[in-house]
Amino acid sequence: MGQKANPIGNRLGIIRGWESNWYGSKKDYAGKLIEDHKIRTYLNARINKGGIAKIVIERTLGKLIVTIHTSKPGIIIGKGGNEVDRIKEELKKLTGKEDVQINILEIRRPELDAMIVADTIARQIENRINYKRAIKMAIASALRMGDEGIKVKVAGRLGGAEIARTEEIKQGRTPLHTFRMDIDYANVFALTVYGKIGIKVWICKGEVLTKRDLNPNFVGGKNDGLSDRRERRDDRGGDFGRDRGDRRGGGGGGFNRGGGGGRSGGQGGGRSGGQGGRR
């Protein structure tokens, strides 16, 4: 189930809120839904390089509130707020409503947002940067910012190959079945000269152990939604990898250098054998 369902839709009402907040009756529900789709499509095309992560749409009586979550607020606002006013007028024409309000929220750490990470990888692939290099750079920056795990899957004619294939690179943990685990997901595509390349990104931000505000505009929590599990892990002390050499190679030995009587026997023997051990 975790592999098939969209991780965001799977967690709606549990640790995530809806990106469209309004009430629709049987008569006007379809119209409002289509209008939301038009607004999102238009804004993503209009602000192509604005680093948009998500667009939250709220409706009250005769009022439309559009909140844009972006990593580059300066591009959307423009000089003296001219660009925002222009976008507001265009939205009024598109929706036919007089009262339109636009809010802009800055994303402080874009490396932890799946949509921005996926979009960055797509732009790099379009600029003919090697896809493996682009993915590894994105993974490294996400883990550096305190991410618990990240998984990136690319599909298509990778590197201009004749036969399309799928490749997946992951690091850390992304448990899709655990509903309390905050997993961000994005699916975008890169338009290259040799065809479309699909990019999927899963980012695990950690466990949500307390009751969370389901308002999609809410930004907060410990370390911006990262769990305190990492701190608990650090407090336990020690690392699995550190005593690996001691267990395999006996006293004081490294991983494959002899200590005092390892797996292959003999005095001072590690894997490669010591005195009286196998060669």
Side-chain angles (χ1 to χ4, degrees):
M1 181 188 66
Q3 302 292 333
K4 303 286 184 294
N6 186 311
I8 293 172
N10 225 3
R11 287 162 178 76
L12 283 177
I14 301 167
I15 59 165
R16 285 189 77 110
W18 285 259
E19 290 180 12
S20 289
N21 284 339
W22 42 265
Y23 172 76
S25 62
K26 282 185 180 178
K27 290 179 182 177
D28 60 356
Y29 180 84
K32 286 179 178 177
L33 194 66
I34 291 165
E35 193 173 271
D36 279 11
H37 179 67
K38 279 182 182 174
I39 289 168
R40 288 198 173 95
T41 307
Y42 173 75
L43 286 175
N44 281 315
R46 170 80 167 74
I47 313 162
N48 192 20
K49 295 178 181 176
I52 294 175
K54 64 179 176 181
I55 297 164
V56 179
I57 298 170
E58 296 168 281
R59 296 171 194 269
T60 55
L61 283 169
K63 190 173 186 179
L64 180 69
I65 303 166
V66 179
T67 307
I68 302 170
H69 292 247
T70 175
S71 59
K72 301 171 184 174
I75 291 174
I76 299 172
I77 295 165
K79 276 191 177 178
N82 294 332
E83 195 65 25
V84 173
D85 294 338
R86 205 173 292 131
I87 292 168
K88 191 188 284 186
E89 291 303 318
E90 288 164 6
L91 284 182
K92 282 180 184 177
K93 282 181 187 175
L94 184 73
T95 58
K97 289 183 173 59
E98 283 302 314
D99 199 355
V100 176
Q101 182 183 326
I102 295 179
N103 300 328
I104 293 164
L105 283 180
E106 184 184 0
I107 293 170
R108 300 279 180 188
R109 296 199 275 182
E111 295 89 354
L112 296 180
D113 193 281
M115 183 59 77
I116 293 172
V117 170
D119 197 54
T120 306
I121 294 169
R123 298 293 84 80
Q124 285 178 316
I125 289 172
E126 284 176 357
N127 292 331
R128 305 193 179 205
I129 290 172
N130 184 278
Y131 71 96
K132 277 188 180 176
R133 186 184 170 198
I135 291 168
K136 282 176 181 175
M137 280 165 60
I139 287 173
S141 60
L143 292 173
R144 195 168 54 242
M145 293 301 287
D147 196 348
E148 278 212 4
I150 179 170
K151 180 166 74 170
V152 181
K153 187 183 274 188
V154 287
R157 293 181 59 189
L158 301 175
E162 283 291 318
I163 299 171
R165 66 183 191 276
T166 303
E167 280 199 25
E168 187 180 284
I169 299 173
K170 58 184 176 181
Q171 235 174 313
R173 55 200 285 268
T174 51
L176 301 178
H177 290 72
T178 312
F179 283 175
R180 68 176 178 272
M181 199 65 74
D182 188 6
I183 291 179
D184 199 10
Y185 170 74
N187 181 9
V188 301
F189 56 83
L191 288 168
T192 65
V193 291
Y194 39 81
K196 276 186 183 180
I197 289 181
I199 300 145
K200 289 181 180 179
V201 175
W202 293 260
I203 292 180
C204 177
K205 299 181 184 179
E207 245 176 318
V208 179
L209 300 171
T210 56
K211 189 174 172 63
R212 175 177 274 191
D213 190 350
L214 295 182
N215 180 4
N217 292 324
F218 173 74
V219 179
K222 186 169 183 179
N223 295 332
D224 290 339
L226 292 171
S227 78
D228 53 352
R229 178 173 282 196
R230 178 171 278 101
E231 291 177 16
R232 294 204 301 271
R233 195 186 297 145
D234 292 342
D235 290 341
R236 283 205 300 260
D239 191 12
F240 178 72
R242 281 181 200 159
D243 51 31
R244 194 184 258 177
D246 296 340
R247 287 201 299 169
R248 296 214 176 178
F255 183 67
N256 50 4
R257 285 185 192 164
R263 195 181 258 182
S264 45
Q267 194 178 4
R271 251 191 194 178
S272 50
Q275 198 175 358
R278 275 203 315 256
R279 282 187 185 272

